[in-house]
Amino acid sequence: MRYTILALILILPLTSVYSQSTNFKVPEHKVGISLTQLITQIEEQEEVKIFYLPEWTDELMVNKSYAGQNVKTALESILIGRNFQIRLIYNYGLVLLRDPKIDEIRADIISQAEDEIPSYNFGDTNNAKWGEEVTLNGTIFSDATSEPLIGATIYANEIDKGVASDANGKYNIRLPVGEHLMTIQGLNYETQTFFVKIYESSKFDITLQENPYTLDEIIVEDNAINESFQNVTSGTTRISLEEIKKAPSMMGEADIIKSVQLLPGVNSVGEASAGFNVRGGTADQNLILLDNGIIFNPNHLFGFFSSFHPDAVKDVTFYKGSIPIQYGGKISSVLDVRQKDGNSKRLKGSGGIGLITSRLMLEGPIVKNKVSFMVAGRSSYSDWLLKRAKDDELRQSSTIFYDFTGKISALVNKKHKLSASIYHSNDKFKLSSDTLYSWQNSSVAINLERTIKEGVYHISSLSAGNYSYTIEDEDPLESFDWKYGVNNFQAKSYFLWRKKNHLLTAGLDLTGYEIKRGVLKPQSAVSTIEEIKLNNERSIITGAFISDEIQLGKLAVIPGIRLSNFALLGPYDQPQYDPNEPVNDYSITGAKSFGENKIAKTYFGLEPRIAAKYNLNLRSSIKASVSRNFQYLHLISNTTAISPIDSWVSSNEYIKPQIGYQYSLGYFYQADKSNISTSVEVFYKNIDNVPEYRNGANLSLKQNIETELVNSEADIRGAEFSLIKEGRLSGQLSYTYSSSRRRTTTPDEALQINNNSFFPSNYDQPHNVKINTNYDISKRFVFSVNFNAATGRPISAPSERFLINNVIVTNYPERNNYRIPTYHRLDMSLLIRTNHKKDKKWEGSWTLTVYNVYGRKNAFSVFFEDGQDGRYRYPKAYKLSILGSVFPSVTYNFIIK
Amino acid sequence: MMRKLVLVLSFCSLILFINGCVDEIKIGIPSNADHLVVDGMITDLPGPYTITLSYSNDYFEPFSPNKDDYNIRDLVQEASVSVIDDQGNEEVFAEISPGVYQSSVDGMRGQIGTSYVLKIELENGKKYESLAEIMPQNVGIKDYAIDYTSKKYLADNLEKTKDGLNISLIPNGFDGTYEFYRWRWEGTYQVETNPELKTKNVEGQQVPDPPPCTLETIPDDVNDVRCKCCICWVTEPSNSSIVSSKTLGDSKTLLHFLENTQGRLTGKYYFYAQQLSITKEAYEFWNIIKQQEDSGSPFSITNTEVPSNIVSIEDKNEKVMGFFSAASVKDIAFFVNKSYLKTDPVPMDVFKNDCRVLKYSTNVKPSFW
């Protein structure tokens, strides 16, 4: 029978030309019969033959009368949402067509099941509206932590429809009335399969059992990948903690930011660089959130490590394409880090002991099943390493960093979940005996999630944070103390409505910044340093946003818009410049003063965003998005890497908000059985009003910083190719081509850079190949390899020298005219689990990491200065590398159950 | 300082990993040299004034391959050089040595408020002109200051201390509007060498080789035989860009750290400094050069193109280097001695040769000595 139908599929294109010349009518029939019975009745009473498999139709109930309707239309309406096609052949036959793969999938799942597949009934068959869709929703929980699971997928196999649970573990799937074979997966959780017979919209909470091991011999599909396939927006990646922990990392420290840098389209300029560049954007265009609190500098030790505690993190979602409407303020990406709520059943913990840091995380109930806590901390003891250094200067240096994070979550009642998070990171770095650098991030956040009624949720968050740095110099003649800081707060509230094919998101947010732009004070009476105090900048950004995720069969569209308004508040002195002259210190004609809370400048931003996904078939889809984002805060830097003294400034009358346009288009393909998925995405970005530093700009402690900047435009285009394999040997291979160029747009020749022609941005790395793979040697051993290669980034190289007034002058003819050597690095790690019994209270593992396996001295920068050749001085080029050799390390990690 | 920071941060210096972090590399940068370089100035001090014309060198090519010194290699000879003021007066500069052009002794003298344009015509007919430079006024120098200082530094992985004197100028208070200044200085001190101890290597043996000047007859008195190259005066010029654009008030501007080394402070040290009031354009030129002097690390300011106020008449796109400046000059001279030191002056190392071999050295006693 199956083959008959297959054969029919083949002839169909030839025969369907007859179209619907015959109009068969459904005869009078009983309500409540099965579709099989109805078909039999139709065949008896009409001159029509219907080709079908009874197993398709036996379970389908006909609960309303279709009498008098066209047979084809009636069948279509009964079978809606079930992936059937109905074709007319030979003027008398109707063929119900279904991709035979669906049956194969079903048969496979059933045959693979070890136990009998459970079946659940929802709703009353008597109320069933056959042929219509109903909603199944609920929350997916973890058995081990009793926390909601983010990103678990619930999938109706036969109709190839799936959704992932959201940040609160909630899922919502529309299913045609009838029976479905469902699969639920969560990475690190045992996959559940069950039948659902659903007749009315219902609620179903599911608890998944934790897998004893990260990856067993059973092939666990990485749901993060599935999810990315199913997500409507392109350029969205959820990174699970397990992926983060497996990646080989510097000093064996599991690192969220470094894991983000493994993704295609994400670059960094080198090892010790705080910040990363997403799709050719600057490092300041990334919004980094921890439980909705804004984090400005999530780095320890100038970027060697990120300051998020790996054990405290539940989930990381990274958006580099179309950014969901509830996030605003940054152009290139959003990194949304969520922390664990804490186990509400029993006390648990985990930690690690490494060469230079140790960490510990504890979680447990305060009120069982209601209120839970999580605390985590990490501290360095890296001084011993420095003390063993050969170099005197290094030996006299010292570095210490720590971070602390905590969270309390309460299920107030069935409909309210409240959580409060606190985070603090601190770094101190003392160079020799003179200079002390220190920086801190702090954040507190309160999140309230409310279920108003089924399908209507209200999410609110309130956060406040601070980022500050201090540089102190103790050399008496130059002693100084330099302080900089940014305070921020954010209130955000939005609603989610799910209704049939719509998911409406709408809300408001309010963000405030106070930038303490810097105070430099001499620290001794003899110090030659003069006191400088820059004016503070206070600003308020209000936002209103609305979007709707609409499912239209194979097409899903999310149109949305965000309106933002920026207001720079007084007290503020805005210098005025001669309009006929370029903006510089010498063209100041006066200043406009704005009093306390008076508005010094406003900007309004219209930020439409649209994302769409079209399913070409079961396995492939096309995604496209267009967005326009505004950014009102800018990190001003004219150094190569983000340096400890870079500072954020607000937009003002002269520094306009950056406006970013992004267009992206992607093709996604998930192979059927081989656990391979591939994607190709192309993107084009155009960013207006990018503040570029002028030739010779001096940015540090500059009051009217606009005099050091020139407006520029960024033109970024690229393509990302990615191949992901799951299974025992898993990993991702990606290649990214991107070109990130700038050009100044000023008519004033003196301010033009490279004559207003395009030049590569400081972090432009056109070719980037990344390979990261994991191989499960056995239950106890996991071997991982990372490889990263990227074009060297551009620098300005000198071309000529001359002597003037006894001073040797070097000319750097063009900005970014030379590239440093290609970057490439191979890292390996081996994870060894010390025991593997399911019910042990203590689970230990060793991570052996070899970073930079073949000891390449990658150039971090190239600089030029006179070198000595015997008696003679010659100009020479030098490369500065951060890692000079292979770097092995070992970390012991443990879990207390 | 920032480079030090990165080096300390880098993991190469750790004992386990002894490879250095800074390595010389060969890079191929396309040559972009042989541009005309103009170095000249007209001031309100009595002339003559000097304009030097040369061609820029390839970055990696030493100025002078045979000496530990920077002498300009490609000088531009046989050019016609003149300066014209806004009254139409023209001063022709004559070539006094290859590439060096000088105004006449009793010729033009710069005046505050007057604008000057430099005109150049090369032997091959190419013409160049400077933008007009209007000589700004100079607030003058109020005082100077000498402060003892000691600094720690690292050499061959050992912490060492160097001490010396910070020599600063205190300009008169500016009136609050933007004024641009540059400072340059010359320091002179006396050196004593031992040419009589000079030796040379003959078949593996060091044999005495005193130069003839060790014992030279004084022309006036045949019986008076003296060493003519044992005592010299070394005049070291400033070789960095010292500029300021702020309203300085009474604050000090550090001109030089005079290190207590090589006999500079065993006797007296003559310090001559000029405070030049310069135009905004000249300031921007010198300020870029100042930034270059503190560059090189990933955290330092990226180097950029050096501007110029010289343009080619025929080809606006031709790159010309250097600057023609009109500056009003106030100067000051004083002696510095060891009394300012808190440590003993460090004598000069024994130098077994003609004292005139030393850089910037002469055996003619300066008039002020």
Side-chain angles (χ1 to χ4, degrees), chain B residues 40-55:
Chain B
M41 194 187 303
I42 182 163
T43 71
D44 59 351
L45 293 181
Y49 311 115
T50 309
I51 309 281
T52 307
L53 300 183
S54 59
Y55 288 115

Side-chain angles (χ1 to χ4, degrees), chain B residues 3-29:
Chain B
R3 185 183 309 155
K4 263 191 349 192
L5 172 71
V6 170
L7 278 176
V8 170
L9 277 174
S10 62
F11 284 84
C12 330
S13 331
L14 297 180
I15 190 158
L16 297 165
F17 316 106
I18 49 173
N19 297 321
C21 274
V22 172
D23 300 284
E24 188 183 344
I25 55 165
K26 295 280 174 230
I27 66 168
I29 301 168

Side-chain angles (χ1 to χ4, degrees), chain A residues 217-271:
Chain A
E217 280 119 320
I218 314 158
I219 294 163
V220 176
E221 276 193 36
D222 186 334
N223 61 315
I225 294 160
N226 259 333
E227 197 186 317
S228 135
F229 182 76
Q230 281 154 12
N231 208 308
V232 177
T233 52
S234 61
T236 302
T237 314
R238 205 177 58 74
I239 308 164
S240 72
L241 189 62
E242 289 309 320
E243 288 170 74
I244 294 167
K245 285 189 172 168
K246 274 190 291 184
S249 59
M250 184 82 195
M251 293 289 200
E253 286 287 299
D255 196 313
I256 289 162
I257 305 266
K258 301 289 180 229
S259 296
V260 168
Q261 289 172 10
L262 296 176
L263 300 172
V266 186
N267 289 356
S268 82
V269 293
E271 268 87 13

Side-chain angles (χ1 to χ4, degrees), chain B residues 228-298:
Chain B
K228 287 199 78 178
C229 54
C230 292
I231 294 179
C232 282
W233 287 267
V234 172
T235 299
E236 36 191 15
S238 51
N239 56 7
S240 62
S241 168
I242 314 161
V243 284
S244 173
S245 70
K246 328 183 267 192
T247 320
L248 286 177
D250 281 342
S251 67
K252 289 176 188 173
T253 299
L254 177 66
L255 297 199
H256 185 43
F257 169 66
L258 176 58
E259 194 182 342
N260 176 17
T261 177
Q262 294 294 339
R264 281 179 173 82
L265 285 163
T266 42
K268 58 186 181 180
Y269 188 93
Y270 177 80
F271 194 82
Y272 171 74
Q274 287 188 339
Q275 173 171 301
L276 301 99
S277 66
I278 52 175
T279 59
K280 186 186 98 190
E281 291 72 25
Y283 168 76
E284 283 168 349
F285 173 81
W286 285 104
N287 193 39
I288 294 240
I289 296 164
K290 184 183 171 188
Q291 287 181 357
Q292 285 185 0
E293 291 165 4
D294 183 37
S295 71
S297 93

